[in-house]
Amino acid sequence: MPGSASGSGSASRKPGRDRYLDLLRSVALVRVVVYHLFGWAWLTVLFPSMGVMFALAGSLMARSLKRPAPGVIRGRIRRLLPPMWAFGAVALAMMFAGGWHPTEDPDLGGGTWSVVELLNYLVPVGAPPYPWHIGSTSGLLEDTWAVQAAGPLWYLRAYLWFVIASPLLLWAFRRAPWATVLAPLALTAVVGTGLVTVPGETGNAVTDFAVYGGCWVLGFAHHDGLLQRIPRYLAVSLSSLLMAFGLWWASGHLGPDGWDLNDIPLAQATWSFGFVVILLQYSPSWRELPGRLARWDRLITLSNNRAVTIYLWHNLLIMATVPIIDLGYDLPFMADSRASAVLDTTYNLWMFVLVWPLIGLAVLALGWIEDLAAKRGPRLWPDGAARGGSRRKV
């Protein structure tokens, strides 16, 4: 079966964007923003965004690797780094302005190595350093803003390593498909359960690679048509059993946030894997969004064209809503305790309302960096609409 994994499924696909996959990516991004804003643990069960995003990236990587691997890897890294450099420049400037000195930070161990680790803001092969507390609890931003702003950077590190490993993973997949697909789950059972402990950030990187490696390789399986050759009833049944195991495992290993699968690696890996199999098994490969979904076409196009910008900046922008909303307490009618109580109870809702315009401003101000990184002409609002209101072909 070595050759069969790369056969008819791949060849029969028409070139162009798959709008179903674009829709999944947009839903995943919205879910990430909502999760980081409200902190609802059940969202990790409802829609495992990171597993979906890694699977979609794996499918696109398999498609790109029809070309020579070194050029593909360089292209993927080139698209990733400039947006991260812009984010790192702003974040580091804010940290240094707040009085942070990495060589004096006891959490980093101090010394020269702390300065060397700053290079991870240029190429995220490891974990970028940041202070756990900076500024004042009564400042514009809470004193843990750096931790929250840097939180999403683990995804870029994992993505970078998946990109680098993809030629080898794809080679292995096309020779031993099932072993390659299932190997990350086995690795998660070893490093994600405490059976073998890898200390420090290296351990976090290995665990992330294991937890989401299965989803990345499922992207290969989707692109090459392997999933479509499995009877749907069998794929859904086995995936449901795997997901049920994930929930059972989670029930006995709940973390500080309860059913948050991000704190339970084996549950995250198995639930995400099964969820992704079902999503890709039902993949309709739309060239245009059907029915009522078509009304969201331009926003879906925009979010896909600016996915890196939205992902990098959303946490910092969520925190930026706080000083804006706090201005409301200074309004004259807010002297009434009932009015201030209403704002208190709807505070998170106002954060949700405000964060989207701020994300829109970030797209306008910084999104064009993604175009330059992809060697395209810079665009302010790439939602697929041509001049005159019609939509360009994707």
Side-chain angles (χ1 to χ4, degrees), residues 350-375:
W350 284 110
M351 291 176 69
F352 177 79
V353 170
L354 281 174
V355 73
W356 300 109
L358 294 181
I359 288 175
L361 289 175
V363 165
L364 286 170
L366 300 161
W368 53 269
I369 298 174
E370 292 193 56
D371 291 327
L372 295 184
K375 293 186 175 180

Side-chain angles (χ1 to χ4, degrees), residues 48-194:
S49 284
M50 306 318 297
V52 172
M53 289 170 70
F54 280 119
L56 301 181
S59 180
L60 291 176
M61 190 67 186
R63 177 178 174 175
S64 297
L65 282 171
K66 295 175 182 177
R67 305 192 302 273
V72 173
I73 293 174
R74 285 197 302 271
R76 285 283 187 259
I77 294 175
R78 187 190 66 241
R79 290 184 180 209
L80 177 70
L81 295 185
M84 182 173 176
W85 293 341
F87 174 83
V90 172
L92 285 174
M94 292 174 63
M95 293 177 200
F96 293 147
W100 179 59
H101 300 285
T103 57
E104 301 172 5
D105 191 330
D107 294 324
L108 301 178
T112 305
W113 185 247
S114 300
V115 178
V116 173
E117 286 186 324
L118 291 175
L119 296 176
N120 286 307
Y121 282 100
L122 296 178
V123 182
V125 294
Y130 47 82
W132 285 92
H133 297 278
I134 185 170
S136 168
T137 54
S138 60
L140 280 179
L141 299 176
E142 54 185 278
D143 64 344
T144 59
W145 70 262
V147 178
Q148 298 179 58
L153 297 182
W154 73 268
Y155 173 81
L156 275 68
R157 176 183 65 188
Y159 177 86
L160 176 64
W161 284 112
F162 278 130
V163 165
I164 293 171
S166 279
L168 178 60
L169 288 174
L170 189 58
W171 175 87
F173 169 76
R174 287 175 174 167
R175 282 153 182 79
W178 298 113
T180 308
V181 167
L182 297 175
L185 294 179
L187 180 59
T188 305
V190 174
V191 301
T193 62

Side-chain angles (χ1 to χ4, degrees), residues 6-348:
S6 58
S8 60
S10 175
S12 64
R13 294 185 186 277
K14 297 178 181 178
R17 299 287 303 193
D18 187 329
R19 299 301 280 166
Y20 175 72
L21 301 187
D22 288 347
L23 173 64
L24 291 181
R25 186 178 293 105
S26 297
V27 172
L29 281 170
V30 171
R31 205 284 281 157
V32 167
V33 174
V34 173
Y35 168 77
H36 284 150
L37 199 158
F38 292 101
W40 293 329
W42 53 267
L43 285 173
T44 63
V45 178
L46 179 66
F47 194 88
S49 284
M50 306 318 297
V52 172
M53 289 170 70
F54 280 119
L56 301 181
S59 180
L60 291 176
M61 190 67 186
R63 177 178 174 175
S64 297
L65 282 171
K66 295 175 182 177
R67 305 192 302 273
V72 173
I73 293 174
R74 285 197 302 271
R76 285 283 187 259
I77 294 175
R78 187 190 66 241
R79 290 184 180 209
L80 177 70
L81 295 185
M84 182 173 176
W85 293 341
F87 174 83
V90 172
L92 285 174
M94 292 174 63
M95 293 177 200
F96 293 147
W100 179 59
H101 300 285
T103 57
E104 301 172 5
D105 191 330
D107 294 324
L108 301 178
T112 305
W113 185 247
S114 300
V115 178
V116 173
E117 286 186 324
L118 291 175
L119 296 176
N120 286 307
Y121 282 100
L122 296 178
V123 182
V125 294
Y130 47 82
W132 285 92
H133 297 278
I134 185 170
S136 168
T137 54
S138 60
L140 280 179
L141 299 176
E142 54 185 278
D143 64 344
T144 59
W145 70 262
V147 178
Q148 298 179 58
L153 297 182
W154 73 268
Y155 173 81
L156 275 68
R157 176 183 65 188
Y159 177 86
L160 176 64
W161 284 112
F162 278 130
V163 165
I164 293 171
S166 279
L168 178 60
L169 288 174
L170 189 58
W171 175 87
F173 169 76
R174 287 175 174 167
R175 282 153 182 79
W178 298 113
T180 308
V181 167
L182 297 175
L185 294 179
L187 180 59
T188 305
V190 174
V191 301
T193 62
L195 189 61
V196 173
T197 302
V198 181
E201 283 298 330
T202 301
N204 292 335
V206 171
T207 301
D208 292 338
F209 194 91
V211 167
Y212 297 106
C215 293
W216 187 274
V217 180
L218 281 175
F220 296 169
H222 172 260
H223 172 268
D224 284 7
L226 178 64
L227 290 179
Q228 285 66 35
R229 294 196 291 272
I230 304 171
R232 181 169 291 176
Y233 76 89
L234 182 60
V236 173
S237 298
L238 293 177
S239 297
S240 298
L241 288 174
L242 186 63
M243 294 166 70
F245 168 80
L247 292 182
W248 171 80
W249 181 266
S251 68
H253 300 81
L254 298 180
D257 296 318
W259 283 86
D260 193 326
L261 299 188
N262 291 321
D263 300 329
I264 316 169
L266 185 57
Q268 178 74 282
T270 51
W271 180 263
S272 297
F273 187 97
F275 200 96
V276 165
V277 167
I278 294 173
L279 284 179
L280 297 183
Q281 177 68 219
Y282 280 87
S283 177
S285 296
W286 295 322
R287 295 307 164 199
E288 298 289 340
L289 291 170
R292 294 182 178 180
L293 288 174
R295 71 182 65 177
W296 301 99
D297 186 271
R298 290 171 64 173
L299 282 177
I300 290 170
T301 300
L302 178 67
S303 65
N304 276 267
N305 282 326
R306 293 293 180 258
V308 177
T309 299
I310 294 169
Y311 183 79
L312 274 173
W313 291 93
H314 77 274
N315 251 11
L316 194 57
L317 296 175
I318 287 173
M319 289 180 285
T321 64
V322 173
I324 297 174
I325 297 171
D326 284 349
L327 294 175
Y329 288 105
D330 297 330
L331 296 173
F333 63 85
M334 293 300 289
D336 185 344
S337 60
R338 287 176 296 180
S340 60
V342 170
L343 183 54
D344 290 341
T345 55
T346 59
Y347 202 98
N348 279 8

